[in-house]
């Protein structure tokens, strides 16, 4: 086969190729094409006839349904490809684009500079320091054309390079192409809408509805059909095709099911990994990131802002909670009256007005008391949301409580029953309800302690006989913030790379940048490795800034700093690898965003941030345990709050979880990429 093509001196042969996107209509419908060495091959056809599909299939970015592409003597490095769309990051400068492709093609710096100077003058490119996003459409096409010339390839594949270019420049591009063919024996395949300009080509292929209607020199086709222009010849051939109806869509449908999926030889890379290509990718990612100030602010600012918000917004006790009281056992009907009385009793052992004494302690908490005259009035206030609850002191409360305190176990049941304070609550808000409950109990203890102290009785005898000693781990009075802090740190570091990675990779994919790089020789391993290096570096910075905020500025308990840092870093790497899975598997940004949101929300809900994983429903428990953040959160608690080391199972299980998930995600990425379909998918926007 190879010998056959070489014998004919063909650089490229396309044999009987078929391609359908929807399984119904054939965009390429049995195309045969032969491109001799050193020729300009003009591929002509109306919009949508399949030209770009054919070119993309030739450079290996698309899978064919049947047929064969033969490129016997050329590798990826020998091809210069200019896709129909720009497929370059528009936040890069012209010179950066040149350096990116130059590095990728392993060109020396001097040679790159030489080519920049030459191509800038030939194609009248704008200044090399300008960002692509400031260019007009025509200027962008010229830059795109220039980079495909960059490395003096043997075969140029140009998809509409002259669109939007003024006629004089168009002619000079054609002159240059002819010169390259004549002097350098370069072979060029060029598609264009301007049919007449292909008169200068050595061969024209006229394409319609996925079929090549003819393939011969412009002169020969015009002579054969007796036409004065190529435009006219194309019209005649199109009419003939319409009359014979030679597209045979149904027949082909049957044929194709028998064929295997076909890829161009150019889809293969010479090496699994090349350092210059990796370096070029790294360079491109760096340029992209360094130009994107909002993105940088997001990446470096968000961990800090999240920590700030967490510390400002979460865990502080709600204060000024409105609470009512109805006092039926004493003549004072306002708190002011109570206060006046309390001043009178001063430090004495006074057993009068005990409801007042209790309310006085209650007011010292974060309850904002309001006294009502009647119980109904107070209950109405709860219903109207004026107060969160109400304490009702029945008649003779003071006398009965006094009896209860004085006679203890000998106090009669009447004294016990009538010394109760009735509490009515709006329990619709669990957190506030718990807080009010706590305040009611703690102020009662304070009131009894104060009474015992003033009466010279053993103060401690009034307390419940339970003594909380200094905690073995943790602090004496932990708050919700202490509980949630390790989880929020893990969630931040897991979700940050997730969002960033997915957005960047999908954006690159959809803009065709990845596809163009792949056509130029980069492989997906290099693309992902370059992204990994950038992401892991960002991850390291984000880990340090998050830890600085939480453990240095906000002084959360922090033991085992080294192991904690490693764990958090690994957690971020898990996020990066999950980002790769989502970005490669998902078709578009909204679906990918939904996947990210789901991953983050399920991690927060099931990962032990809001509620301990030990209390999760038995059905969800196994899922919760294997979630990427559940065990790492426990591990971080063990490290920072208990000072445990790697020998403790809760600690090493966290590390193991991160490592296992990372390996699993990388394996999924590998499986997806192994499918040739993914290659076409990655470049689906290259048109
Ligand atoms: N990814 C895709 N999924 C589905 N259909 C597609 C896809 N890409 C192209 N097509 C369809 O295939 C047909 C051929 O498209 P192609 O881009 O190859 O045409 P073309 O000849 O290059 O057109 P133009 O000159 O306008 O660029 C069109 O009808 C187009 O809508």
């Amino acid at each position: 086969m190879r010998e056959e093509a070489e014998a004919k001196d063909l650089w490229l042969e396309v044999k009987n190729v078929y391609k359908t996107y929807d399984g119904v209509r054939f965009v390429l419908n049995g195309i045969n094409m032969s491109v001799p060495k050193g020729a300009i091959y003009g591929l002509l056809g109306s919009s949508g006839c399949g030209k770009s599909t054919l070119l993309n299939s030739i450079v290996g970015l698309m899978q064919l349904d049947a047929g064969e592409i033969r490129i016997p003597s050329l590798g990826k490095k020998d091809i210069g490809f200019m896709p129909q769309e720009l497929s370059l990051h528009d936040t890069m400068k012209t010179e950066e684009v040149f350096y990116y492709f130059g590095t990728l093609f392993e060109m020396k710096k001097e040679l790159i500079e030489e080519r920049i100077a030459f191509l800038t003058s030939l194609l009248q490119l704008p200044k090399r320091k300008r960002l692509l996003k400031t260019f007009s459409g025509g200027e962008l096409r010229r830059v795109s054309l220039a980079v495909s010339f960059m490395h003096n390839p043997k075969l140029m594949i140009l998809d509409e390079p002259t669109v939007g270019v003024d006629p004089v420049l168009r002619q000079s591009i054609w002159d240059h192409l002819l010169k390259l063919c004549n002097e350098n024996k370069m072979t060029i395949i060029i598609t264009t809408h301007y049919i007449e300009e292909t008169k200068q080509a050595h061969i024209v292929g006229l394409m319609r509805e996925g079929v090549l209607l003819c393939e011969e020199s412009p002169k020969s086709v015009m002579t054969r059909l007796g036409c004065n222009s190529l435009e006219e010849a194309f019209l005649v051939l199109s009419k003939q095709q319409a009359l014979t109806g030679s597209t045979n869509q149904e027949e082909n449908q049957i044929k194709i099911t028998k064929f295997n999926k076909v890829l161009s030889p150019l889809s293969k890379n010479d090496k699994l990994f090349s350092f210059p290509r990796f370096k070029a990718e790294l360079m491109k990612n760096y340029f992209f990131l360094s130009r994107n100030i909002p993105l940088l602010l997001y990446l470096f600012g968000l961990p800090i802002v999240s920590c700030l918000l967490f510390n400002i917004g979460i865990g502080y006790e709600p204060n000024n909670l409105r609470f009512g009281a109805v006092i039926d056992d004493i003549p004072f009907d306002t708190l002011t009256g109570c206060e006046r009385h309390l001043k009178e009793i001063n430090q004495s052992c006074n057993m009068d007005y005990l409801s007042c004494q209790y309310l006085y302690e209650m007011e010292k908490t974060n309850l904002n008391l309001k006294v009502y005259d009647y119980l109904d009035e107070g209950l109405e206030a709860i219903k109207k949301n004026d107060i969160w609850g109400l304490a009702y002191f029945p008649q003779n409360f003071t006398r009965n409580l006094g009896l209860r305190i004085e006679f203890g176990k000998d106090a009669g049941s009447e004294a016990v029953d009538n010394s109760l304070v009735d509490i009515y609550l709006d329990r619709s808000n669990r957190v506030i309800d718990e807080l009010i409950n706590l305040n009611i109990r703690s102020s009662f203890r304070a009131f009894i302690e104060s009474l015992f102290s003033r009466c010279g009785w053993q103060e401690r005898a009034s307390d419940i006989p339970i003594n909380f000693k200094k905690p073995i781990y943790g602090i004496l009075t932990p708050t919700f913030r202490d509980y949630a802090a390790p989880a929020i740190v893990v969630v931040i570091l897991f979700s940050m790379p997730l969002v960033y990675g997915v957005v960047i990779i999908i954006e690159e994919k959809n803009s065709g940048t990845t596809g163009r790089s792949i056509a130029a020789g980069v492989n997906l391993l290099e693309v992902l490795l370059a992204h990994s290096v950038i992401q892991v570096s960002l991850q390291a910075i984000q880990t340090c800034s998050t830890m600085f905020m939480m453990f240095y500025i906000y002084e959360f308990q922090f033991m085992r700093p080294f192991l904690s840092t490693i764990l958090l870093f690994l957690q971020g790497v898990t996020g990066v690898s999950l980002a790769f899975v989502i970005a490669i598997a998902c078709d578009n940004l909204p679906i990918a965003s939904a996947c990210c949101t789901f991953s983050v929300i399920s991690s927060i809900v099931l990962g032990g941030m809001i509620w301990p994983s030990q209390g999760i429903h038995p059905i969800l428990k196994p899922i919760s345990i294997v979630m990427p953040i559940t065990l790492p959160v426990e591990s971080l608690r063990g490290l920072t709050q208990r000072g445990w080391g790697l020998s403790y199972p809760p600690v090493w299980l966290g590390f193991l979880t991160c490592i296992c998930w990372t390996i699993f995600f990388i394996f999924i990425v590998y499986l997806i990429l192994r499918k040739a379909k993914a290659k076409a998918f990655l470049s689906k926007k290259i048109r």
Side-chain angles (χ1 to χ4, degrees):
M1 237 184 278
R2 186 185 169 117
E3 291 74 26
E4 192 190 320
E6 276 175 351
K8 287 195 229 160
D9 219 5
L10 295 179
W11 258 168
L12 169 75
E13 254 193 308
V14 171
K15 291 261 179 196
N16 222 12
V17 300
Y18 292 86
K19 167 82 189 167
T20 166
Y21 287 106
D22 54 10
V24 180
R25 187 173 74 93
F26 282 90
V27 171
L28 302 181
N29 199 7
I31 295 255
N32 286 295
M33 179 181 176
S34 304
V35 183
K37 187 175 175 180
I40 297 187
Y41 188 112
L43 187 62
L44 302 175
S46 56
S47 176
C49 71
K51 301 181 297 291
S52 300
T53 304
L54 180 59
L55 297 194
N56 286 334
S57 304
I58 291 172
V59 294
L61 291 174
M62 263 182 200
Q63 210 174 33
L64 292 165
D65 293 297
E68 192 185 351
I69 293 171
R70 295 180 195 167
I71 308 173
S73 350
L74 305 178
K76 276 198 170 189
K77 265 191 187 174
D78 304 312
I79 311 291
F81 175 53
M82 177 194 168
Q84 198 176 71
E85 284 181 5
L86 178 68
S87 306
L88 298 169
H89 278 310
D90 63 2
T91 47
M92 283 166 83
K93 294 175 184 170
T94 319
E95 64 172 9
E96 289 169 350
V97 176
F98 277 113
Y99 267 91
Y100 165 66
F101 281 96
T103 312
L104 202 155
F105 292 124
E106 300 181 29
M107 291 164 69
K108 294 229 163 66
K109 190 170 177 268
E110 300 74 49
L111 186 56
I112 296 175
E113 281 297 329
E114 199 182 289
R115 297 294 291 162
I116 293 177
F118 170 71
L119 291 166
T120 302
S121 126
L122 174 78
L123 296 168
Q124 297 164 27
L125 300 182
K127 286 204 175 87
R128 55 188 280 174
K129 296 272 179 209
R130 262 178 68 187
L131 297 178
L132 294 196
K133 66 179 172 192
T134 65
F135 289 8
S136 71
E139 287 168 337
L140 287 174
R141 292 207 72 70
R142 277 181 270 147
V143 173
S144 180
L145 176 63
V147 290
S148 58
F149 274 102
M150 195 65 215
H151 54 302
N152 261 329
K154 291 181 180 154
L155 172 64
M156 297 271 301
I157 299 177
L158 309 174
D159 201 349
E160 309 209 359
T162 51
V163 171
V165 174
D166 90 274
V168 179
L169 185 56
R170 204 183 310 154
Q171 190 50 54
S172 87
I173 291 174
W174 269 96
D175 290 345
H176 184 66
L177 295 180
L178 286 164
K179 191 169 161 224
L180 288 172
C181 278
N182 296 335
E183 290 175 11
N184 301 6
K185 281 276 162 222
M186 192 184 270
T187 309
I188 298 167
I189 303 172
I190 179 168
T191 71
T192 174
H193 275 134
Y194 309 111
I195 296 186
E196 285 310 311
E197 79 181 13
T198 44
K199 260 189 189 165
Q200 301 163 80
H202 301 106
I203 303 173
V204 286
L206 295 179
M207 201 170 161
R208 187 169 177 268
E209 292 179 358
V211 177
L212 210 56
L213 302 177
C214 82
E215 186 180 75
E216 54 194 295
S217 75
K219 209 170 168 189
S220 135
V221 70
M222 287 191 289
T223 316
R224 182 165 62 82
L225 297 170
C227 301
N228 293 324
S229 68
L230 268 179
E231 189 104 41
E232 208 184 324
F234 191 25
L235 186 66
V236 172
L237 286 167
S238 299
K239 278 184 181 163
Q240 280 175 4
Q241 189 207 26
L243 280 175
T244 53
S246 62
T247 51
N248 297 330
Q249 293 276 346
E250 293 84 7
E251 259 177 50
N252 294 332
Q253 186 71 49
I254 301 157
K255 272 193 234 160
I256 295 312
T257 51
K258 297 176 194 156
F259 286 93
N260 291 322
K261 298 287 172 195
V262 181
L263 271 169
S264 157
L266 291 179
S267 65
K268 292 192 190 81
N269 275 75
D270 49 350
K271 289 183 227 160
L272 180 66
F273 180 82
S274 138
F275 185 73
R277 295 195 303 239
F278 167 72
K279 190 176 147 197
E281 277 299 299
L282 208 56
M283 209 156 87
K284 182 183 72 178
N285 291 349
Y286 170 75
F287 288 142
F288 173 76
L289 192 63
S290 62
R291 288 288 140 62
N292 208 325
I293 303 295
L295 187 64
L296 280 175
L297 284 176
Y298 164 81
L299 290 172
F300 295 124
L302 199 70
I304 296 174
V305 173
S306 305
C307 292
L308 277 174
L309 290 179
F310 171 77
N311 284 289
I312 294 168
I314 289 185
Y316 292 101
E317 292 200 347
N319 52 27
N320 214 13
L321 297 170
R322 296 180 311 277
F323 195 73
V326 176
I327 317 163
D328 263 359
D329 74 322
I330 52 171
F332 304 101
D333 57 356
T334 62
L335 280 177
T336 337
C338 264
E339 270 169 34
R340 211 180 319 121
H341 164 71
L342 288 169
K343 272 186 200 137
E344 281 164 22
I345 63 170
N346 205 355
Q347 292 300 312
S348 62
C349 175
N350 192 320
M351 296 289 282
D352 293 336
Y353 314 112
L354 292 181
S355 49
C356 251
Q357 293 186 32
Y358 180 16
L359 284 176
Y360 177 70
E361 291 299 335
M362 213 185 259
E363 230 199 356
K364 285 186 193 164
T365 65
N366 43 20
L367 297 181
N368 180 0
L369 287 184
K370 183 173 177 191
V371 175
Y372 293 88
D373 290 338
Y374 304 103
L375 181 59
D376 286 349
E377 195 192 344
L379 294 177
E380 198 53 35
I382 298 179
K383 285 180 190 156
K384 282 195 208 148
N385 197 28
D386 286 344
I387 50 176
W388 284 102
L390 174 83
Y392 173 68
F393 295 87
Q395 279 184 357
N396 300 326
F397 169 80
T398 297
R399 192 174 70 83
N400 288 314
L401 184 62
L403 288 172
R404 190 172 167 166
I405 293 170
E406 199 168 334
F407 295 105
K409 70 181 173 55
D410 295 326
S413 63
E414 196 194 331
V416 172
D417 291 345
N418 293 318
S419 60
L420 296 178
V421 186
D422 294 330
I423 303 289
Y424 299 87
L425 290 175
D426 168 357
R427 308 197 79 155
S428 57
N429 185 319
R430 190 193 148 93
V431 176
I432 291 192
D433 173 64
E434 275 186 4
L435 203 68
I436 290 178
N437 240 293
L438 198 73
N439 285 327
I440 290 170
R441 286 165 204 278
S442 66
S443 54
F444 185 79
R445 274 180 58 189
F447 144 62
I448 291 289
E449 268 177 24
S450 152
L451 182 68
F452 271 48
S453 142
R454 277 184 279 118
C455 291
W457 305 330
Q458 262 217 59
E459 219 175 291
R460 280 167 54 212
S462 67
D463 204 353
I464 54 164
I466 293 172
N467 187 13
F468 286 98
K469 306 293 279 182
K470 186 173 175 290
I472 309 295
Y473 295 124
I475 52 176
L476 196 57
T477 48
T479 62
F480 179 74
R481 286 169 67 225
D482 297 298
Y483 167 73
I488 190 82
V489 172
V490 171
V491 168
I492 292 173
L493 293 172
F494 175 69
S495 52
M496 286 286 305
L498 192 61
V499 176
Y500 166 73
V502 166
V503 170
I504 294 298
I505 296 175
I506 291 189
E507 205 276 327
E508 263 204 2
K509 223 162 69 167
N510 288 352
S511 68
T513 316
T514 311
R516 185 164 193 172
S517 303
I518 288 172
V522 174
N523 65 33
L524 288 169
L525 176 70
E526 289 148 359
V527 171
L528 291 183
L529 273 181
H531 274 297
S532 306
V533 168
I534 297 278
Q535 295 227 23
V536 167
S537 314
L538 290 170
Q539 187 59 39
I541 299 171
Q542 288 167 346
T543 305
C544 293
S545 58
T546 307
M547 292 187 73
F548 175 77
M549 289 298 292
M550 295 298 276
F551 301 111
Y552 186 75
I553 303 284
Y554 285 102
E555 296 182 336
F556 281 94
Q557 258 201 310
F558 189 33
M559 292 182 254
R560 299 279 186 172
F562 178 70
L563 279 178
S564 305
T565 311
I566 302 276
L567 176 72
L568 289 172
F569 180 71
L570 287 178
Q571 186 66 65
V573 174
T574 312
V576 173
S577 46
L578 176 59
F580 287 166
V581 174
I582 296 176
I584 290 169
C586 282
D587 215 355
N588 59 30
L589 208 47
I591 294 175
S593 308
C595 291
C596 292
T597 312
F598 175 75
S599 313
V600 174
I601 289 181
S602 57
S603 303
I604 291 174
V605 174
L606 299 178
M609 182 181 160
I610 298 174
W611 198 251
S613 53
Q614 291 84 346
I616 281 170
H617 190 281
I619 296 176
L620 280 181
K621 213 166 187 170
I623 301 172
S624 160
I625 292 294
V626 298
M627 293 285 289
I629 74 158
T630 311
L631 292 176
V633 167
E634 286 309 316
S635 177
L636 190 65
R637 284 206 176 100
L639 288 165
T640 56
Q641 298 181 353
R642 294 166 171 140
W644 286 347
L646 271 177
S647 57
Y648 288 79
V651 173
W652 63 255
L653 275 171
F655 283 80
L656 190 68
T657 305
C658 293
I659 293 167
C660 287
W661 274 110
T662 305
I663 293 172
F664 175 71
F665 289 141
I666 291 172
F667 181 65
I668 299 281
V669 169
Y670 168 76
L671 286 186
I672 300 173
L673 296 186
R674 253 177 64 120
K675 287 194 161 197
K677 203 173 153 224
K679 292 186 180 178
F681 169 78
L682 270 169
S683 52
K684 72 195 197 70
K685 279 277 170 169
I686 283 251
R687 302 275 303 277

